[in-house]
Amino acid sequence: MRPQPKKPIEARGKVLGGLKPLVCIPLVGKTREEILGEAGNIPDIAPDIIELRVDAWEFVEDMAASISMIRDVRKAVGEIPVILTCRGHWEGGFKKVSDSAKFSLYRKAAEEGLVDFLDVELIYGDEKIRETLAMIANYPVSLIVSSHDFEKTPPKEVLFSTLAAQIRAGAHVAKLAAMPRSEEDVLALLSATLLVRREYPDIPLITMSMGGIGAVSRVTGGLFGSDLTFAVGSKASAPGQIPAADLKQCLSVLYPL
C-alpha cells in the first residue's frame, strides 16, 4: 500500500490520492488546429487526467477565443478531468502571459464548470492565492499551488519547506518539480515527498524530478507519496516525461489492481 493522503480529491470519477497515482497528459499545442488535434488523440491514449497548457496558445490574451477553445477541448475529452495551467514564463512557461488574461480565464473556466483544477505558482504569494481560493470557493474546482526549478534541485530541507509553504497557503494540492544534477538530487526529492506526506497527511501531492536522471521519479514517485505523474501524449511539456503507454505499463507492475 503506497502512502496516500487522508483527503483525496475526486474529479469526474477519478481520485487524486487513490490507490495509484494518476497519469496526466499535457496538451501543449499553440494553434487551434494543434490543440484540437491533441485533444482528439486523448481517447486513444486514455489518460486519467489532462493538463491544458494555455501559456502555449498563440491567442491566450484573447479571452473570447481562449474560453471557446477550452469549451471545445472539454467536448473533445468528455469526462476526463482537466487541469488548467497558465505557467509563468519565469517557471518554465512557453511565453509571457499577462496576469489579467491568466486569472480572467481561470475565473471564467471555473464559473462554467469547464475545468477541475487550477494551477497557481507559490511565488504569487499568500494574498493572491487566497484571492484565487475565494474566486473558486463556490465551484467544484481545486487549487494546485506549484513551484518549479528547471536549473537545480534545492536541498531536501528546502524542498520540504516549499511544499509545506504551499500547504500552509491553502493549496488543495501541493506540487513541486526540480531538475536534478545528480542521483542524490533525485533521492532528495523522493525523500522530501515522503516526509511531507508523513507531516501533512491530508493533502494530495504532485512531485517529480525532471530530466533523464529524474525519469525514475515519474515511475516510482507514487511509492513515496506523489499522487500524479506526467506522461507524453502528443508532445512533452517538461524534460524527462515518459510516453504514456510505457508509463502505464510500468505503473501496472507497481500497482497491480
Side-chain angles (χ1 to χ4, degrees):
M1 179 69 71
R2 74 183 197 88
Q4 299 170 228
K6 292 182 179 179
K7 296 182 179 179
I9 296 173
E10 184 173 351
R12 301 179 194 266
K14 297 294 184 179
V15 179
L16 181 67
L19 293 176
K20 66 177 183 177
L22 299 183
V23 174
C24 181
I25 298 298
L27 273 59
V28 296
K30 298 179 180 180
T31 67
R32 181 176 179 81
E33 291 72 23
E34 290 175 352
I35 298 157
L36 288 176
E38 287 184 291
N41 292 333
I42 290 299
D44 290 334
I45 300 171
D48 298 307
I49 188 169
I50 66 170
E51 181 183 40
L52 202 49
R53 285 290 300 271
V54 300
D55 53 292
W57 294 2
E58 294 179 348
F59 50 88
V60 65
E61 298 279 351
D62 184 332
M63 179 67 172
S66 293
I67 198 68
S68 176
M69 186 77 259
I70 296 174
R71 292 182 189 124
D72 288 344
V73 169
R74 167 51 66 200
K75 291 177 184 176
V77 303
E79 285 301 295
I80 294 177
V82 174
I83 301 170
L84 184 60
T85 299
C86 187
R87 177 68 58 234
H89 65 284
W90 62 87
E91 275 188 34
F94 289 100
K95 66 178 181 181
K96 187 174 183 179
V97 180
S98 70
D99 283 350
S100 174
K102 175 175 181 170
F103 287 97
S104 293
L105 189 59
Y106 278 11
R107 177 184 294 276
K108 185 65 173 174
E111 288 175 351
E112 292 195 18
L114 298 172
V115 301
D116 307 280
F117 298 87
L118 300 177
D119 185 305
V120 173
E121 295 86 352
L122 177 65
I123 198 171
Y124 274 104
D126 288 357
E127 183 176 353
K128 188 63 176 179
I129 291 169
R130 284 195 297 269
E131 288 179 7
T132 307
L133 287 166
M135 179 182 77
I136 63 175
N138 296 322
Y139 308 109
V141 178
S142 299
L143 180 64
I144 300 170
V145 179
S146 62
S147 300
H148 308 78
D149 191 331
F150 282 80
E151 299 298 324
K152 67 185 183 307
T153 297
K156 181 176 75 173
E157 295 76 15
V158 176
L159 297 172
F160 175 89
S161 64
T162 299
L163 287 162
Q166 294 168 358
I167 294 169
R168 288 197 303 270
H172 300 134
V173 183
K175 180 191 176 192
L176 188 150
M179 183 66 73
R181 294 179 177 176
S182 67
E183 289 80 2
E184 286 80 3
D185 284 345
V186 181
L187 293 175
L189 180 128
L190 294 173
S191 180
T193 302
L194 184 59
L195 186 57
V196 173
R197 167 55 65 242
R198 302 291 195 223
E199 294 293 322
Y200 297 91
D202 291 342
I203 306 299
L205 306 174
I206 302 172
T207 66
M208 68 220 69
S209 191
M210 296 184 285
I213 298 175
V216 65
S217 71
R218 299 182 183 276
V219 177
T220 62
L223 300 177
F224 296 84
S226 182
D227 297 303
L228 181 149
T229 182
F230 289 86
V232 178
S234 299
K235 296 180 182 178
S237 63
Q241 289 177 358
I242 300 168
D246 295 338
L247 182 56
K248 287 197 285 186
Q249 186 173 8
C250 293
L251 295 180
S252 70
V253 175
L254 294 177
Y255 312 99
L257 300 181

